[in-house]
């Protein structure tokens, strides 16, 4: 079995573990940025095996430059999406923000 046999390369920015809907970024974020062990990661995601977690980490170590760029692009995309959501909240979020503001105003008027 080749290391790449563990993955579905759906697009340049979408690599998932075969038989799951989990992208490699999920595992690698926990491993790189949260310093979680492979065992902790496998326990967190019930659809993954420990072997799949290790395969993902090994793939990262073998393809460090390209996978690091993949992760950087994924993090930047996430940042842009959060920024966009903040600038243009959904109708549900707008309604919740309105309710929160109304409650805050009520509490201020009661404390006066």
């Amino acid at each position: 079995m080749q290391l790449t046999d563990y993955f579905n390369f759906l697009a340049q920015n979408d690599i998932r573990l075969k038989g799951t809907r989990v992208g490699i970024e999920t595992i690698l974020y926990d491993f790189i940025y949260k310093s979680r062990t492979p065992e902790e990661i496998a326990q967190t995601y019930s659809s993954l095996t420990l072997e799949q977690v290790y395969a993902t980490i090994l793939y990262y170590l073998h393809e460090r430059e390209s996978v690091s760029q993949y992760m950087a692009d994924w993090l930047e995309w996430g940042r842009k999406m959060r920024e966009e959501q903040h600038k243009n909240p959904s109708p549900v979020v707008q309604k919740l923000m309105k309710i929160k503001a109304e409650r805050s105003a009520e509490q201020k008027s009661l404390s006066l």
Side-chain angles (χ1 to χ4, degrees):
M1 177 180 246
Q2 298 290 322
L3 185 57
T4 55
D5 291 343
Y6 284 93
F7 309 103
N8 285 323
F9 295 86
L10 302 176
Q12 185 176 355
N13 62 349
D14 191 4
I15 304 171
R16 300 186 188 194
L17 284 132
K18 278 191 180 168
T20 76
R21 298 171 70 189
V22 179
I24 65 170
E25 64 277 356
T26 300
I27 295 168
L28 295 177
Y29 186 82
D30 280 0
F31 180 71
I32 298 167
Y33 298 100
K34 292 185 174 180
S35 301
R36 298 182 73 202
T37 67
E39 291 76 14
E40 290 171 326
I41 296 168
Q43 287 175 354
T44 301
Y45 304 104
S46 60
S47 64
L48 299 177
T49 66
L50 185 57
E51 182 178 354
Q52 289 172 310
V53 173
Y54 273 110
T56 304
I57 294 167
L58 185 60
Y59 179 69
Y60 162 69
L61 294 174
H62 276 257
E63 302 291 335
R64 191 175 295 246
E65 187 174 325
S66 63
V67 176
S68 291
Q69 186 61 54
Y70 177 96
M71 290 298 294
D73 293 346
W74 176 75
L75 290 168
E76 178 60 18
W77 178 83
R79 185 195 64 74
K80 285 180 181 178
M81 292 300 102
R82 285 187 299 280
E83 186 178 296
E84 184 65 30
Q85 288 172 346
H86 183 71
K87 288 179 184 176
N88 301 303
S90 70
V92 172
V93 172
Q94 289 176 8
K95 185 173 182 173
L96 291 172
M97 290 167 55
K98 181 181 175 186
I99 291 168
K100 182 179 178 183
E102 289 170 353
R103 286 185 180 171
S104 179
E106 287 175 13
Q107 289 178 349
K108 284 183 182 178
S109 68
L110 291 175
S111 64
L112 295 176

